[in-house]
Amino acid sequence: MLGSGKASEGMRAVFVAQGALLLLGVALSASAVDPAERTADLPDSWLVLYNSSDADSTAWAAWYQQQRGIPDDHMVGLDASANEHLPNLNAAQSQIIGPVRDLLDSDAALESTVMGILLGYGLPGHYGDRPAPPSSPLPGGASLADALQDMYDDDLPIDEQDDWNLANPHLFGAILPPDGRITKAKMTSSWPGLYMVARIDAPSLEEAMALTQRAQQLADPDYSLFGEFVWYDYYDPCFPHYTGEWYWLREAVEADELVDLPWSEFDLDGIDESSETPHDAFRFDTYQLYGWQPSDFGTTHPGGRVLAWHLNSYGALTVRSTTDENGVYVPNALAAGYASAIGATGEPFTLVGPFPDTLVAALREGWTLGEAYFLANPSNDHVWTLVGDPFLTVPNWFEEVTAAFDIYGEARLRPSLRDVPAFRACLGGPGSSSPEVCAAFDLDGDGDADLADFASVQRSFADLPMRVASGDYDGDHDVDRHDFDQFRRCATPPGPAELSLPCREFDFDLDLDVDLRDFLNFQCLFRPHGDQEFVADLGEVG
């Protein structure tokens, strides 16, 4: 887990110096992309806000601009409070909303490119009080990111601003827009004055950067969600509705349009069941307000962890601490390794939040997280907040992807560390290894396997964490009879086999099978519960 302290002085100095060059330089001209072709994945489709009075925020802005290629004139420094909460609407108007609205109103060329606004690291996240009947205020306030989605009624009192987001396809009985992906032309003609929004914030500069780094890892063309799950728990007896269920999550799980997703149910409140969700790509659940910890999400077998969304109140009351405000959802989900999370900055007074089906359906289309959230969010000027990089995409969904690398007849996405000995043999000269094997390492197609190819091999695995087999299939922190039952199902004869991602927890020697050699390692880890007798019965494994 990343540290929760301030950025080191060295790191901050480097990025502040870069900021002086990047953020104060000559503004680039607006892109000439036709509004009918402009989509939210373009670097100049987003306005990026940062706190010019905070050194860490300025450092983050310089770094983020480099990572995403944001033009200078789309980087906007605001002289704002460093507090996460602003006391009232006037403060929000003067520090955040007003300056952004005035900029877009005064620069038609800039506005013609902007589809989304990113509320950056170090800026306030919510403002005002959410009044509770009869008059006592509740924690938190209205979401500043959500306020930027519609800035043209923000002179009204907070409780008069809430409005339906007309871009939400659920208002018209659909999961996705019938006319396809949103363009700038579509936004201008159908929803003038509306913008996509997201927020990046965290306990430290390093953790804010980590959200973008996770998004970049998910966007790697060699990464796939294959073998991972969409975990859900839509029932809770404490849910504030007589049915005790999150209706719109159940609708998503049962939707014909999403039947291809690997839905997997868990029970957050189960007495005999773990609330951990191993091999998790997405996690949707309800209804726990406080007491969250990163360990609640499990740490043994994490998946890609694209998005976590827990329908409750106050989930994003703070995103700058995992323990403040009694431990709310969003910062703990992000600390557990999720690339993004959704929560409320105050009391929503409604059970209708961003729709899970629209979120996953839009990402399945290859659209950005910013687009997915914009379409899924049912309201403007409310409390819902997406914390994560809006450029996040998942190019390879849950389908198995075609391998670009083939050695020993194994279909794999990329070389790995276990290929190094074979490559070393190919470097030994003619006859050191079979021609077929060496041809597989000729990655530049020049007829040999040399050091130039080895550089490609190194790059192919250097940035990816190795999956180390543990034997703990179900992610409950032990290796017991339940895992043995799964070992039997995963067992194969010796030799490369098609292993699902969960079964790779038993491939201890990384040779793409689960055979008796792996069983020797499994036996060393096995710890039965109680006095149960353990009888090895693998059948005919080989």
Side-chain angles (χ1 to χ4, degrees):
M1 186 183 301
L2 293 166
S4 58
K6 289 286 187 181
S8 68
E9 291 301 319
M11 174 183 287
R12 184 165 60 190
V14 168
F15 286 113
V16 168
Q18 292 174 339
L21 297 175
L22 292 169
L23 304 179
L24 300 179
V26 177
L28 302 177
S29 60
S31 172
V33 176
D34 188 295
E37 302 295 327
R38 174 173 290 282
T39 49
D41 55 338
L42 300 178
D44 62 343
S45 289
W46 283 80
L47 203 66
V48 179
L49 313 182
Y50 65 97
N51 195 336
S52 59
S53 63
D54 182 82
D56 280 358
S57 182
T58 303
W60 169 83
W63 179 86
Y64 189 80
Q65 183 179 16
Q66 279 189 323
Q67 297 298 308
R68 293 304 190 187
I70 310 295
D72 289 349
D73 60 344
H74 286 60
M75 302 294 300
V76 179
L78 302 172
D79 185 9
S81 168
N83 293 330
E84 195 165 10
H85 181 75
L86 293 178
N88 51 49
L89 177 60
N90 288 338
Q93 282 280 5
S94 63
Q95 297 183 38
I96 309 292
I97 302 167
V100 175
R101 183 177 57 218
D102 293 346
L103 172 64
L104 294 174
D105 285 346
S106 64
D107 192 335
L110 177 66
E111 200 288 327
S112 69
T113 68
V114 174
M115 298 180 67
I117 301 173
L118 174 58
L119 187 69
Y121 173 70
L123 286 169
H126 44 78
Y127 69 96
D129 293 323
R130 298 289 292 171
S135 60
S136 59
L138 293 173
S143 165
L144 267 166
D146 216 22
L148 293 167
Q149 184 168 301
D150 176 11
M151 295 177 282
Y152 294 90
D153 62 355
D154 288 340
D155 53 343
L156 298 173
I158 295 176
D159 56 355
E160 295 180 21
Q161 292 180 30
D162 295 351
D163 193 14
W164 291 109
N165 172 19
L166 296 181
N168 188 298
H170 270 273
L171 297 179
F172 311 99
I175 293 179
L176 290 178
D179 51 354
R181 191 173 193 177
I182 297 174
T183 63
K184 176 61 177 176
K186 173 69 173 176
M187 294 187 75
T188 301
S189 63
S190 299
W191 318 298
L194 288 190
Y195 298 93
M196 302 175 188
V197 292
R199 180 185 178 195
I200 289 181
D201 212 338
S204 69
L205 173 59
E206 293 94 335
E207 287 166 290
M209 292 175 176
L211 297 181
T212 294
Q213 292 166 338
R214 292 170 197 163
Q216 291 169 329
Q217 291 171 355
L218 290 167
D220 187 318
D222 282 340
Y223 185 83
S224 170
L225 299 181
F226 177 69
E228 299 180 9
F229 302 100
V230 182
W231 290 93
Y232 70 93
D233 175 15
Y234 53 68
Y235 177 79
D236 190 294
C238 296
F239 192 73
H241 191 274
Y242 73 94
T243 63
E245 69 177 24
W246 180 2
Y247 172 81
W248 290 109
L249 178 55
R250 180 171 63 81
E251 285 289 295
V253 174
E254 297 175 356
D256 292 339
E257 298 92 332
L258 302 177
V259 69
D260 61 312
L261 296 186
W263 297 101
S264 186
E265 187 174 10
F266 76 107
D267 186 358
L268 179 64
D269 303 295
I271 297 175
D272 298 321
E273 299 180 58
S274 172
S275 64
E276 293 190 3
T277 48
H279 309 295
D280 45 346
F282 297 88
R283 174 169 166 148
F284 300 100
D285 55 339
T286 193
Y287 179 84
Q288 176 181 322
L289 291 182
Y290 302 115
W292 288 97
Q293 301 177 54
S295 59
D296 292 331
F297 300 87
T299 57
T300 307
H301 307 291
R305 296 197 165 177
V306 180
L307 172 68
W309 172 202
H310 184 92
L311 180 61
N312 67 3
S313 307
Y314 313 124
L317 195 56
T318 180
V319 300
R320 296 181 181 175
S321 170
T322 57
T323 56
D324 289 353
E325 306 292 354
N326 300 311
V328 294
Y329 181 78
V330 168
N332 282 282
L334 299 177
Y338 279 90
S340 61
I342 296 172
T345 57
E347 173 55 59
F349 295 113
T350 179
L351 301 180
V352 181
F355 292 94
D357 53 3
T358 297
L359 285 165
V360 294
L363 287 170
R364 181 178 62 181
E365 292 294 315
W367 302 348
T368 65
L369 178 64
E371 293 168 85
Y373 179 75
F374 177 67
L375 291 170
N377 190 3
S379 57
N380 303 318
D381 301 307
H382 201 49
V383 297
W384 306 119
T385 296
L386 165 69
V387 183
D389 194 317
F391 287 100
L392 182 155
T393 59
V394 186
N396 296 315
W397 204 232
F398 292 95
E399 299 85 359
E400 189 167 13
V401 295
T402 302
F405 181 79
D406 186 20
I407 184 170
Y408 311 124
E410 304 168 10
R412 285 187 274 126
L413 287 174
R414 56 172 73 219
S416 67
L417 287 171
R418 57 196 167 99
D419 297 311
V420 172
F423 191 96
R424 186 166 55 239
C426 291
L427 286 174
S432 297
S433 189
S434 71
E436 294 79 8
V437 170
C438 291
F441 288 116
D442 181 17
L443 301 179
D444 56 10
D446 65 351
D448 59 23
D450 56 16
L451 291 177
D453 299 300
F454 187 60
S456 297
V457 172
Q458 287 179 303
R459 285 194 298 271
S460 73
F461 61 75
D463 296 330
L464 290 180
M466 288 189 66
R467 287 187 178 273
V468 179
S470 68
D472 182 16
Y473 183 97
D474 54 10
D476 63 350
H477 305 293
D478 59 23
V479 178
D480 57 17
R481 289 186 60 87
H482 301 294
D483 301 299
F484 173 65
D485 290 340
Q486 297 300 330
F487 188 102
R488 295 177 61 188
R489 296 185 179 95
C490 292
T492 70
E498 293 292 332
L499 296 180
S500 68
L501 191 60
C503 284
R504 295 177 194 176
E505 296 300 337
F506 302 126
D507 182 16
F508 291 94
D509 54 7
L510 299 178
D511 62 350
L512 287 181
D513 61 26
V514 178
D515 59 12
L516 290 176
R517 292 181 182 272
D518 299 300
F519 186 60
L520 290 175
N521 289 279
F522 182 85
Q523 285 179 301
C524 293
L525 297 172
F526 183 82
R527 296 293 183 272
H529 286 164
D531 297 324
Q532 294 171 330
E533 182 181 359
F534 174 60
V535 180
D537 178 13
L538 294 177
E540 298 200 7
V541 174

